[in-house]
């Protein structure tokens, strides 16, 4: 399994010390084997008043592995760590939410019970994954500043993982999407070196489809293999001018 380093971001880049250490000691880890694949998924994020939805997309598969100190999806089983966090969305006949009419959606009893507190995490089956047999989930949490860890799978290979984490305010309710993609280089002239090197992986943070932040993987010596926020890259590229003498 790829064990590349990953960084946690605030407005500045932090050290890569926030690995998923201690996850096995968290409540519910022993219930991995009890978590069954959901028989239905929503097909869309269902907004809840006063809550934040966190989702990921853009690669063959992606998983929210941790929110703050709570483990969410297991990297080993690709299933919820704690089955009690899982919400299944379908009507009495097992028809997924997204395939129901608007009137049927309004009449359907969805788990709309408010989250108990800021530590509460609920996960909802969103859609079938690009990897056969796996499911994409999104998370429901309270709107406060949070640390989110996500595994992205750029290839159809469960052993190739790009680990990403960030700290963001998440203080306004709504849907936050972390979308991964390969950035096209404007300097790519089609040379053998250019075509042999993969385009860098970037991750955009969007809130209700509005761009918020961007992180791209770096190949330079100082930040090799790390995701760095583009605003930081732009600041570092500005030449420093020594103050003039009085």
């Amino acid at each position: 399994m790829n064990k590349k380093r990953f960084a946690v971001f605030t407005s500045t880049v932090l050290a890569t010390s926030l690995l998923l250490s201690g996850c096995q000691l968290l409540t519910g880890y022993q219930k991995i084997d009890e978590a069954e694949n959901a028989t239905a998924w929503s097909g869309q994020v269902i907004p809840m008043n006063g809550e934040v939805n966190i989702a990921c997309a853009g690669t063959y598969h992606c998983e929210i592995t941790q929110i703050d100190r709570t483990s969410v999806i297991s990297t080993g089983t690709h299933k919820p760590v704690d089955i009690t966090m899982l919400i299944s969305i379908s009507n009495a006949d097992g028809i997924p939410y997204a395939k129901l009419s608007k009137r049927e959606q309004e009449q359907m009893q969805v788990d709309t019970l408010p989250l108990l507190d800021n530590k509460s995490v609920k996960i909802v089956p969103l859609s079938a994954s690009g990897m056969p047999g796996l499911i994409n989930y999104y998370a429901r949490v309270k709107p406060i500043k949070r640390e989110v860890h996500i595994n992205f799978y750029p290839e159809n290979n469960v052993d190739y993982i790009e680990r990403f984490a960030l700290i963001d305010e998440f203080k306004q309710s709504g849907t936050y999407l972390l979308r991964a993609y390969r950035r096209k280089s404007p300097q790519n002239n089609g040379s053998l070196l250019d075509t042999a090197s993969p385009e860098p992986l970037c991750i955009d943070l969007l809130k209700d489809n509005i761009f918020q932040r961007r992180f791209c993987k770096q190949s330079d010596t100082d930040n090799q293999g790390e995701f760095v926020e583009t605003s930081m890259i732009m600041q570092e590229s500005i030449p420093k001018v020594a103050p003039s003498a009085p």
Side-chain angles (χ1 to χ4, degrees):
M1 180 178 292
N2 189 324
K3 296 184 178 178
K4 293 181 180 179
R5 297 175 301 164
F6 66 100
V8 177
F9 302 96
T10 53
S11 57
T12 58
V13 179
L14 302 181
T16 58
S17 61
L18 292 175
L19 297 172
L20 299 180
S21 58
C23 289
Q24 296 188 7
L25 301 179
L26 297 176
T27 302
Y29 187 86
Q30 294 78 8
K31 296 186 177 182
I32 288 178
D33 293 335
E34 299 176 18
E36 299 178 356
N37 286 335
T39 57
W41 45 79
S42 62
Q44 62 190 50
V45 175
I46 304 172
M48 298 289 180
N49 291 332
E51 291 187 11
V52 162
N53 297 306
I54 303 175
C56 61
T59 51
Y60 278 89
H61 184 66
C62 60
E63 299 166 341
I64 301 173
T65 59
Q66 183 176 330
I67 296 178
D68 298 330
R69 295 182 178 274
T70 301
S71 290
V72 181
I73 303 296
S74 165
T75 302
T77 66
H78 310 287
K79 297 179 181 180
V81 169
D82 187 347
I83 191 63
T84 62
M85 289 192 287
L86 179 63
I87 296 175
S88 184
I89 299 182
S90 62
N91 68 357
D93 297 324
I95 301 176
Y97 179 90
K99 293 185 178 181
L100 299 174
S101 67
K102 185 176 181 179
R103 182 176 180 180
E104 289 173 326
Q105 289 177 352
E106 293 173 349
Q107 294 175 344
M108 192 177 70
Q109 295 297 317
V110 182
D111 181 1
T112 56
L113 292 176
L115 298 170
L116 296 178
D117 51 42
N118 289 340
K119 295 182 179 180
S120 298
V121 178
K122 292 289 185 180
I123 47 179
V124 186
L126 177 61
S127 64
S129 167
M131 289 185 176
L134 301 186
I135 293 176
N136 289 325
Y137 299 87
Y138 71 90
R140 287 172 46 194
V141 292
K142 288 281 193 178
I144 63 170
K145 185 176 182 179
R146 294 189 180 277
E147 176 184 324
V148 179
H149 296 243
I150 297 179
N151 284 352
F152 287 95
Y153 296 79
E155 298 178 0
N156 193 8
N157 178 4
V158 293
D159 292 328
Y160 174 27
I161 305 172
E162 292 286 358
R163 292 181 171 90
F164 174 78
L166 84 159
I167 294 175
D168 197 79
E169 295 298 327
F170 295 110
K171 287 187 176 180
Q172 294 183 350
S173 59
T175 297
Y176 293 79
L177 176 67
L178 286 152
R179 181 176 62 89
Y181 61 95
R182 294 287 184 186
R183 182 182 62 184
K184 298 296 183 181
S185 173
Q187 299 178 349
N188 192 330
N189 57 12
S191 67
L192 182 62
L193 179 60
D194 289 332
T195 55
S197 302
E199 301 289 353
L201 187 68
C202 292
I203 298 170
D204 285 355
L205 173 65
L206 297 90
K207 179 187 180 296
D208 296 329
N209 293 322
I210 298 176
F211 174 83
Q212 303 292 317
R213 304 169 70 184
R214 175 170 295 158
F215 307 88
C216 290
K217 202 155 193 181
Q218 303 302 299
S219 57
D220 58 89
T221 304
D222 293 335
N223 301 295
Q224 188 171 10
E226 296 179 4
F227 286 100
V228 177
E229 190 162 6
T230 53
S231 59
M232 296 294 299
I233 299 173
M234 293 174 64
Q235 290 175 14
E236 292 174 359
S237 64
I238 298 174
K240 296 181 179 179
V241 180
S244 56

